Amino acid sequence: MSITAAEIARAADLLHDVVAPTPLEYSRWLSDLVGGDVFLKCENLQRTGSFKLRGAYVRMARLSKKERALGVVAASAGNHAQGVALAAQLLGIKATVFMPHGAPIPKEKATRAYGAEIRFVGTSIDDCLIAARAFEAETGAILIHPFDHRDIVAGQATTGLEIVEQCPQVRTVVVPTGGGGLIAGIALAMQRDGMPIEVVGVQAKGAAAYPASLAAGMPVQLDKMATMADGIAVGLPGTVPFAAIQQYVSGVLTVDEDSLSKALLLVLERAKLVVEPAGAAAVAAVLDDPKRFKPPLVVVLSGGNIDPLLLMRVIRHGMAAAGRYLSLRVRIPDTPGGLATLLGRLAEVDANIIEVLHERISETLSLDEVEVALQLETRGEDHRERVLASLSTNGYTYTLN
């Protein structure tokens, strides 16, 4: 049976004093691309840094006194972990969370700070779910699934209620999608008579379980996953959200790693908002095909929990993908002034030098050559190509890193 409007309304009542409505920010730069109004739904600014607290609290607040005494267990790469940990703290419940090895350090530290016990297992959320279910069977602790439960979906649906209230004229909502709890909830909340609203999901290409599952008419397990967007790296859709997505979501798009990193960089630069790669997935889809979406458009930023070291790498990746960062090695003559001449040529084409490494010894170099490793800042794809063309015109041999 589909989750009802009454269930979603009761979830909103439970969350009234727990979560604050997140801002809906107008985005001029995306509006210009789309050709109509675009707004950012900033769930990255929610308590714990993502939407996950909504579903976790609703699920746990509805546990009986006896169930609460048994404690709860969860599986998460970090955002659901924090939601469960904070909900457990607020409700006085003991929480154990299974996280994959390599989970982002800030997410781990925040989960511990809310009082949860963390255990590391495997390399994916699916591995953690197996361990969490075994822990549930062994101890009696209640599994708080990250997406596959009616109460979880009802809680996430309150995001959709806020969107409708903040932007009554909305025609399209684009949502980062992993297991499907958030997009299923939003789609259910969007069912209003006389006002068709298209809901579109977005997954990372390296972890896109929904397109094949929807084509098959049932959840289909991915054999492998590889993406920087750990928050939406889920190999098997949940049965509860899958049913709602089948009925109410118009489609699930995919975006590659370059698009994710470019989107994260642009959200940081243009909107002054920090998001994680998963949180930027919906923006990436809009950047890939801005005319695909009918405005007024709401783009959900689902999370903002990112390791600063990963943020540095993603920014650099995003700059490279946008033609604004160039890393290469150039061979120059081993003569006085050789390096100065190369740097002068780069200055002539306005390439900003970030880093230079001068290497004299290598088995691949002849005796009269040295190699210079360069990291350059460029202004975009056209400028990047002009820099490379200038090097070739002036007789330099280079390799891109």
Side-chain angles (χ1 to χ4, degrees), residues 28-38 286-287 289-297 299:
R28 184 174 300 278
W29 57 283
L30 284 175
S31 297
D32 290 343
L33 285 173
V34 170
D37 289 340
V38 179
V286 175
L287 292 174
D289 188 6
K291 301 305 179 183
R292 156 69 177 77
F293 307 97
K294 182 178 180 180
L297 168 64
V299 181

Side-chain angles (χ1 to χ4, degrees), residues 68-91:
R68 293 188 188 193
L70 294 170
V72 298
V73 60
S76 171
N79 287 342
H80 180 60
Q82 290 176 73
V84 168
L86 177 55
Q89 184 185 80
L90 294 172
L91 294 166

Side-chain angles (χ1 to χ4, degrees), residues 51-379:
F51 68 94
K52 288 288 191 176
L53 175 61
R54 297 174 185 268
Y57 188 88
V58 170
R59 171 77 173 100
M60 293 163 64
R62 290 176 173 168
L63 295 177
S64 67
K65 184 176 180 180
K66 180 179 179 180
E67 288 172 324
R68 293 188 188 193
L70 294 170
V72 298
V73 60
S76 171
N79 287 342
H80 180 60
Q82 290 176 73
V84 168
L86 177 55
Q89 184 185 80
L90 294 172
L91 294 166
I93 302 172
K94 175 178 171 54
T96 302
V97 178
F98 287 86
M99 300 182 77
H101 291 287
I105 294 173
K107 294 181 180 181
E108 173 203 344
K109 289 185 176 297
T111 303
R112 290 189 192 278
Y114 291 128
E117 178 187 347
I118 292 178
R119 301 187 183 188
F120 289 100
V121 62
T123 58
S124 70
I125 294 174
D126 299 304
D127 293 336
C128 294
L129 276 170
I130 293 170
R133 288 193 174 100
F135 184 87
E136 178 187 36
E138 178 185 346
T139 67
I142 307 301
L143 175 65
I144 308 301
H145 199 284
F147 48 84
D148 203 13
H149 193 280
R150 294 179 68 90
D151 289 340
I152 295 289
V153 174
Q156 317 309 22
T158 60
T159 310
L161 295 182
E162 289 179 20
I163 291 171
V164 170
E165 183 176 345
Q166 293 167 325
C167 185
Q169 71 277 24
V170 62
R171 288 295 178 271
T172 310
V173 183
V174 190
V175 189
T177 303
L182 177 61
I183 188 172
I186 288 175
L188 287 162
M190 293 291 158
Q191 301 313 305
R192 295 186 295 162
D193 292 337
M195 191 171 188
I197 301 172
E198 183 183 23
V199 180
V200 181
V202 184
Q203 295 201 291
K205 281 186 179 177
Y210 264 97
S213 295
L214 289 169
M218 59 183 290
V220 176
Q221 175 76 53
L222 290 178
D223 293 332
K224 58 182 180 179
M225 295 183 290
T227 178
M228 69 175 79
D230 62 281
I232 53 174
V234 177
L236 181 65
T239 55
V240 172
F242 184 82
I245 290 167
Q246 267 190 315
Q247 186 171 358
Y248 297 118
V249 172
S250 66
V252 177
L253 308 175
T254 61
V255 293
D256 63 22
E257 302 298 284
D258 282 355
S259 293
L260 286 168
S261 57
K262 283 191 289 186
L264 186 151
L265 177 62
L266 282 168
V267 171
L268 181 62
E269 285 188 327
R270 303 299 297 273
K272 308 300 183 285
L273 292 167
V274 176
V275 294
E276 59 193 277
V283 175
V286 175
L287 292 174
D288 281 353
D289 188 6
K291 301 305 179 183
R292 156 69 177 77
F293 307 97
K294 182 178 180 180
L297 168 64
V298 171
V299 181
V300 178
L301 306 179
S302 57
N305 295 310
I306 184 169
D307 187 312
L309 293 177
L310 175 60
L311 179 60
M312 290 169 59
R313 294 198 300 271
V314 173
I315 288 174
R316 182 168 292 185
H317 187 185
M319 290 181 68
R324 294 171 51 194
Y325 179 84
L326 180 58
S327 179
L328 72 166
R329 307 178 78 86
V330 183
R331 293 190 179 193
I332 63 173
D334 188 13
T335 57
L339 178 58
T341 300
L342 170 63
L343 299 182
R345 297 298 186 193
L346 293 171
E348 289 173 359
V349 288
D350 296 325
N352 186 35
I353 298 169
I354 300 172
E355 187 173 323
V356 178
L357 179 62
H358 196 246
E359 296 183 351
R360 308 185 71 89
I361 301 174
S362 171
E363 61 184 19
T364 64
L365 295 173
S366 63
L367 293 175
D368 59 350
E369 287 182 319
V370 295
E371 190 170 58
V372 180
L374 294 163
Q375 294 179 8
L376 309 176
E377 181 184 7
T378 51
R379 298 181 182 276

